[in-house]
Amino acid sequence: MNSKLGLQTQAFEAAPGGPDDWAIAAKPAAFKIIWNAYQPDTLPVGELDRLRAAGLKLCIRADFADPTGLLSPGEYQERTFLMDSVAGATKAIAALLSFKARWPYWARYQVLNETGIDAWLPGHAAFIKELAPRMRAEGMTGVFFNAPVGNPASSPDFPPYEANPAAWLDDIRGQWEPMYFALSIIQANGHYLGLNQYAHIKPFSDPANGFTLLRHRLLTEAGVFPAGLRLVIGETGLDRGHLSPTLERGWKSHYTAQEYADELRWLNRELAKDAYVDTAEIFGSFLPYGEVWQGFDVVGIPEVQAALRELAEEGETPVANGFTFERPGFADYADAHPEIGKAAGTQRYDGDGNLRQLTEQGELIGLKAFGWKVLFFAG
C-alpha cells in the first residue's frame, strides 16, 4: 500500500528535534506549508532546501487573509478575489510567482481556501478560467477550490446521511452539475481539485462519516467529475463541522494517540482504493495560532509519527482506479428535479472526449461563464 497521508503545517521550525525534524522522520506523502501571501521573502530558503533534501514533497498555500497587503483595507477574505475574476487572477498569479521566485521547487500551489460553494458561480468558475491556464504557462501546478463539497444537512428537514444516502447524492449532483465547466478547466490544465473533509464522529468507519470523511466519492458517484480530474484532500482528520456542532474540536478530546493513529491507517487504506486521490493532508502540525487548534496538533505524537512512517515504508502496490466516468439516468434525475432545469436537448463532448448530458441550467451557466471554448479545451 502506498501512503497518501500528508501534513498541513501552519508554520515550521528548524530547531533541533523540533516540528521539522518530527515531520522528516514521519515521512508524510506531502508537506503543505501555509505562509502569508504578502511576505514570501520571509520564507527560510535554507530550511526549505533541508526539508526537500530529506525527501519531503513541499507544497505551499498562500494565505491572502491579510488586509494590509494586495487587497484594499477591509477586503481581507479570500473570496474578494472572485468579485472581479480578471483582477483577482492577476493578484493571485503575482503572489504565487513571488513564492516561485523565492523557492522554485514547490510541488503544488494551493489557490484560495474555503471560499465556499456559494462563491462558485459566477465568481469562482470565472476566476479559475482566468488563473488555471496562466499558472500552467508559468509551470505551476495548482490546487483549486479547497472547501467542503457542500452540506445539505443545513436544512433541518433534510434526512441524516446514513438514513437516506440517495437524497444526499441527489442534492450534491444538483449543486455540482453547473461546476463541470470549471472542473474541466482545472483538469485540462493539469491542476487538482482540492477538498477539505473531516470525520465528525468516531470511529472513522462509521457510516455517518460517509458524507464527510470520504465525501469525494459522492462527487464521482454523482458523475460530476471530468474524467482524469485529480484530487487533493487539503485538510482531513476529526472536526465537529456542521453535523455535530457540540463536538469538541480536534482529535485529542476523543481519541488516545494510538486510537487516532489507527484511524489514520484506516483512512489511508480507504484512500488507496481511489487512484484519482493524490494525497490527504492531516490538519495539522505545529499550530501556534490559539488554543482552539491545539486539539488537532499531531507534532510530537510518536504514535502518529510511527503510523505515517510505516505507511511510507510499506512500499507501493498497484490499486484499481476507483473512478470511471458514467452518467446513467441523469436525464431522469433532471426531470424529477425542476429546480436544476431539465436535461438539455443536445449532448456535447468535453476536452477529453467524454460525451456530456447537461441540464439546461448547467448549460446556460457554463456557456455564460466560458463560451464554447471549454468544450474543446486542449489537454
Side-chain angles (χ1 to χ4, degrees), residues 8-11 283-290 293-298:
Q8 173 176 287
T9 180
Q10 300 295 106
F283 184 89
S285 64
F286 193 38
L287 302 167
Y289 301 133
W293 305 116
Q294 300 310 309
F296 294 89
D297 205 336
V298 296

Side-chain angles (χ1 to χ4, degrees), residues 23 31 82 84 91 137 146 170 189 201 269 281 301 303 308 313 357 361 365 373:
F31 191 53
L82 312 180
D84 183 333
K91 294 174 184 176
N146 308 299
D170 280 357
N189 283 278
I201 60 173
R269 288 196 300 271
E281 293 150 8
I301 307 298
E303 293 87 349
L308 293 175
E313 294 175 349
Q357 174 67 64
Q361 181 192 39
I365 293 173
K373 293 181 180 180

Side-chain angles (χ1 to χ4, degrees), residues 58 108 118 144 214 275 296:
L58 298 181
R108 292 192 293 252
D118 58 326
F144 289 90
L214 300 172
F296 294 89

Side-chain angles (χ1 to χ4, degrees), residues 31-369:
F31 191 53
K32 183 173 71 183
I33 295 165
I34 302 175
W35 207 259
N36 190 321
Y38 314 109
Q39 298 178 356
D41 290 344
T42 62
L43 277 166
V45 170
E47 181 63 5
L48 292 172
D49 287 339
R50 184 175 81 94
L51 293 170
R52 179 171 179 254
L56 294 189
K57 178 180 180 179
L58 298 181
C59 308
I60 186 73
R61 185 187 119 188
D63 189 351
F64 292 97
D66 182 347
T68 64
L70 294 177
L71 301 180
S72 301
E75 294 182 326
Y76 58 91
Q77 293 193 20
E78 293 177 323
R79 68 175 60 208
T80 57
F81 280 84
L82 312 180
M83 297 171 65
D84 183 333
S85 59
V86 176
T90 299
K91 294 174 184 176
I93 196 72
L96 297 176
L97 284 171
S98 295
F99 278 101
K100 185 180 181 183
R102 178 68 171 169
W103 196 76
Y105 306 110
W106 302 108
R108 292 192 293 252
Y109 297 77
Q110 179 173 322
V111 185
L112 307 190
N113 187 65
E114 294 189 344
T115 50
I117 199 168
D118 58 326
W120 265 95
L121 297 172
H124 211 132
F127 175 82
I128 288 171
K129 180 196 174 187
E130 292 291 334
L131 186 57
R134 295 172 69 174
M135 289 185 66
R136 180 185 182 184
E138 296 289 349
M140 294 186 289
T141 300
V143 184
F144 289 90
F145 189 51
N146 308 299
V149 167
N151 187 12
S154 58
S155 167
D157 299 325
F158 212 86
Y161 171 79
E162 59 271 27
N164 194 343
W168 286 65
L169 180 63
D170 280 357
D171 187 274
I172 294 303
R173 184 184 286 120
Q175 290 187 64
W176 280 77
E177 166 64 16
M179 293 102 168
Y180 181 84
F181 291 89
L183 300 182
S184 294
I185 287 180
I186 293 172
Q187 186 277 328
N189 283 278
H191 303 305
Y192 292 85
L193 173 67
L195 295 176
N196 297 344
Q197 46 195 44
Y198 292 83
H200 70 281
I201 60 173
K202 57 182 293 190
F204 280 11
S205 57
D206 190 293
N209 282 323
F211 174 70
T212 55
L213 188 62
L214 300 172
R215 67 183 76 186
H216 59 279
R217 292 178 179 171
L218 287 181
L219 292 182
T220 57
E221 185 178 351
V224 292
F225 266 32
L229 180 63
R230 298 176 297 170
L231 177 65
V232 168
I233 299 171
E235 294 182 13
T236 195
L238 179 75
D239 195 12
R240 64 189 182 204
H242 294 287
L243 302 183
S244 300
T246 61
L247 188 72
E248 290 293 326
R249 304 200 70 177
W251 64 270
K252 290 182 178 178
S253 298
H254 308 279
Y255 289 109
T256 67
Q258 187 58 56
E259 287 173 340
Y260 191 57
D262 290 341
E263 292 281 58
L264 294 174
R265 288 186 176 95
W266 178 90
L267 177 59
N268 192 73
R269 288 196 300 271
E270 284 298 309
L271 294 176
K273 301 174 184 178
D274 301 328
Y276 56 97
V277 177
D278 186 70
T279 58
E281 293 150 8
I282 301 164
F283 184 89
S285 64
F286 193 38
L287 302 167
Y289 301 133
E291 184 176 351
V292 66
W293 305 116
Q294 300 310 309
F296 294 89
D297 205 336
V298 296
V299 166
I301 307 298
E303 293 87 349
V304 173
Q305 185 186 63
L308 293 175
R309 185 172 61 248
E310 289 165 10
L311 292 170
E313 294 175 349
E314 281 181 357
E316 186 168 344
T317 56
V319 296
N321 191 331
F323 168 53
T324 56
F325 189 82
E326 299 288 347
R327 300 283 316 265
F330 188 76
D332 293 338
Y333 164 80
D335 288 340
H337 294 78
E339 70 277 6
I340 68 163
K342 292 186 177 296
T346 56
Q347 294 180 325
R348 295 185 176 87
Y349 290 91
D350 66 14
D352 293 312
N354 297 306
L355 188 63
R356 291 290 299 160
Q357 174 67 64
L358 303 172
T359 67
E360 291 172 348
Q361 181 192 39
E363 184 175 44
L364 177 63
I365 293 173
L367 294 179
K368 182 178 179 180

